[in-house]
Structures are given as C-alpha cells and as structure tokens.
Amino acid sequence: MNTFPDIDFDLGQYIDDFVNWLTDNLGVVFDVLSDAIIWSFQLSSSFLLWLPWWVIIAVVFLLGWRLIRLWTGLIFAIFIFMIGAFGYWELMMDTVSIILASVIISLIVGIPIGIFMAYKDRFERFMKPILDAMQTMPTFVYLIPAMMLFGLGVVPGMFATIIYAIPPVIRLTNLAIRNVSKEMVEAADSFGSSTSQILLKVQLPQALPTIMTGINQTTMMALAMVVVASMVGAQGLGLEVLSALQQIDIATGFEAGISIVFLAIILDRLSQSVAEKYKYSD
C-alpha cells in the first residue's frame, strides 16, 4: 500500500526516457564504442588462442617464479593446466580476454580522470559521489542500460564490467598524486620544471606503487563481473557457471566455478607482487 498516495515521483521513467533519447540521438557514438570494445576483445582473444597451450602455461610459471617464488610458479602452472583439463581452455581465454580488455580500457580512461581530480578540487568533489554510486550500485543494474545501448553479447557485458571496475583506479590515482610530498613538487618547481614535467618525472613515479594497487583492485573487480556479464551474453567461464545454475548441474558448476577461483588467485597474486615490487623499489 502506498503511504504517499498524493505523491508520485517516477524517477525511473525519467531515466528510461533519457536512455531512449541516447539511443535515438547518439546511436553513432555507441556504434563506435561498440566497435572499439569488440575489437579489443577479439584482438586479445585471437592472440591468446593463437598461442600454444604450453607457452601460456610456461609464461604463467615464469611470472609466478620471478615475481614471487618457484613453488608459486609451479602451483600457478598446475592451476592453468587443470582448467585446460576440465575442457575450458577456450572459455578461459575468452574470460581472460574480457578481463584484459576491460582493465586496459578502464586504465586508459580512469588514470587521466584520477590525475585531473588530483589537480582540480571542484572536479574531485563532483566525482566523489558519482564514484560512490558506481561502487555501491548493484551489479545487475548496470546490465539494463548496457543492454538498451548495445543489445546482447560481449559488448554490454564488457561495458558493465568497465563501469563497475573503473572506480578503484580513479580513486587511488587521485589519492596517490595528492600524497606525493609537497616538498618534492616545490623543489621541482623551483628548478623551473613545467607542470607536465613535474607530473611525469616527479608525481607519477612517486605515486606508481599506489596506482598499481588500484590496478590490482580494478582487475579483481573486473573478474568479479564474469558471471554477471554472462547474463547478457558475454562469453567465457561465467556463461558456463550460469548454464550450470540453470540446469542445476553441480559437476559443471563446480568445475567452472573453481576455474574462476584459480584465475582470481593467479591474477591477484601476480598483480599484488608487481605493486609490492614497485613499492619496495621506490
């Protein structure tokens, strides 16, 4: 029962009208975005599928060994081998391609926004509530406008993934730039450095460890969207989990689910180790 019978503020209808206006008037823009997203996915997917399976396992082993330790590299190699043994090699490559393309696009867009926020206090105050809403909004909500703007398939799934995963790298880039020692910035300025030189030669190198932490969080949030994105047709292991859920197939659901866990462990540990190496080298 409506406790406010005389008040009817249909905000959702306004949002629906706005999205319809976007599709009617900016269709060309969204077509270009769709082409760019699908191109990035197909490029990474075709490259990963072109590589022999043993090369990928060897690369994962070497990364785990050199960045962490020998036993970690062996465990990572076993994880990748097991995913292939489950019969999910191509699905794993699709999942990695979605994550890789989504993270790269998030970094290309997010890092400049974070830098601009660090330089402009008003822009930071404007962006903070937007980032709060992006991080607290239920993930399924992103799929609705994504489907209306891009239809079904990998594009809306990647679009929703980018929107969900981009806030950490924006926040931590902004925080990292602001936390750079003011004395270092003032010293560079006193020697006649321009704003761009201060940014590139002083602030970004000092801020890099924190930015790498933001990249790690963005990567993990992109991986967390794998199953959700499959609901609108995104390919990969998430689609296998969704299919198993619909058919109540426990065996398939476990194998696909544990494969996502293996990927999460590998991506998390590798990206964390890179961030820590930058931190200690600093």
Side-chain angles (χ1 to χ4, degrees):
M1 180 178 179
N2 189 0
T3 56
F4 296 89
D6 298 328
I7 300 176
D8 186 12
F9 183 57
D10 196 357
L11 178 62
Q13 185 60 47
Y14 292 110
I15 300 299
D16 182 56
D17 293 339
F18 175 68
V19 173
N20 288 330
W21 180 86
L22 289 177
T23 56
D24 293 337
N25 295 276
L26 298 178
V28 176
V29 175
F30 292 110
D31 287 341
V32 172
L33 287 175
S34 177
D35 291 341
I37 291 173
I38 197 67
W39 175 82
S40 63
F41 166 76
Q42 290 177 343
L43 180 65
S44 57
S45 178
S46 59
F47 174 73
L48 291 174
L49 289 173
W50 172 76
L51 291 173
W53 63 269
W54 55 269
V55 171
I56 294 178
I57 293 178
V59 169
V60 171
F61 165 72
L62 290 173
L63 287 174
W65 175 24
R66 303 304 299 175
L67 292 176
I68 309 176
R69 61 176 64 88
L70 177 61
W71 282 108
T72 303
L74 288 173
I75 292 172
F76 287 175
I78 291 171
F79 283 171
I80 297 296
F81 179 82
M82 288 180 65
I83 296 175
F86 292 153
Y88 295 147
W89 188 264
E90 292 188 2
L91 293 178
M92 177 180 63
M93 293 299 102
D94 287 338
T95 298
V96 173
S97 299
I98 290 174
I99 296 169
L100 182 62
S102 298
V103 169
I104 290 175
I105 294 173
S106 297
L107 300 184
I108 292 173
V109 176
I111 291 178
I113 292 175
I115 293 173
F116 193 68
M117 285 176 62
Y119 277 84
K120 302 293 182 180
D121 292 338
R122 288 186 178 180
F123 185 65
E124 182 192 33
R125 290 194 293 269
F126 171 76
M127 285 298 298
K128 276 187 173 180
I130 296 177
L131 295 174
D132 291 339
M134 291 169 67
Q135 288 189 288
T136 56
M137 187 76 71
T139 55
F140 295 99
V141 176
Y142 291 125
L143 300 180
I144 301 172
M147 284 190 297
M148 294 183 66
L149 296 173
F150 299 105
L152 294 175
V154 69
V155 175
M158 286 184 59
F159 179 79
T161 300
I162 293 168
I163 297 300
Y164 180 70
I166 200 173
V169 74
I170 295 177
R171 287 185 183 276
L172 289 176
T173 300
N174 171 45
L175 180 65
I177 298 294
R178 288 179 177 272
N179 284 343
V180 173
S181 172
K182 293 182 179 180
E183 289 77 9
M184 296 182 65
V185 176
E186 291 173 356
D189 184 58
S190 66
F191 280 103
S193 299
S194 65
T195 302
S196 60
Q197 288 175 328
I198 293 174
L199 174 64
L200 296 175
K201 296 183 178 180
V202 178
Q203 291 176 311
L204 282 179
Q206 293 296 315
L208 195 55
T210 304
I211 294 175
M212 290 300 301
T213 301
I215 294 174
N216 168 259
Q217 293 186 13
T218 291
T219 303
M220 298 312 297
M221 293 185 73
L223 184 57
M225 282 289 289
V226 165
V227 178
V228 177
S230 67
M231 295 182 176
V232 291
Q235 306 169 35
L237 293 169
L239 189 60
E240 196 73 9
V241 173
L242 182 63
S243 176
L245 179 64
Q246 293 171 341
Q247 301 174 18
I248 317 180
D249 187 344
I250 298 175
T252 300
F254 176 80
E255 290 180 350
I258 200 65
S259 297
I260 294 174
V261 172
F262 289 161
L263 278 181
I265 292 172
I266 294 171
L267 292 174
D268 180 51
R269 296 298 185 270
L270 291 179
S271 56
Q272 273 189 1
S273 63
V274 172
E276 289 174 0
K277 285 185 179 297
Y278 273 106
K279 181 179 180 180
Y280 294 139
S281 63
D282 181 62

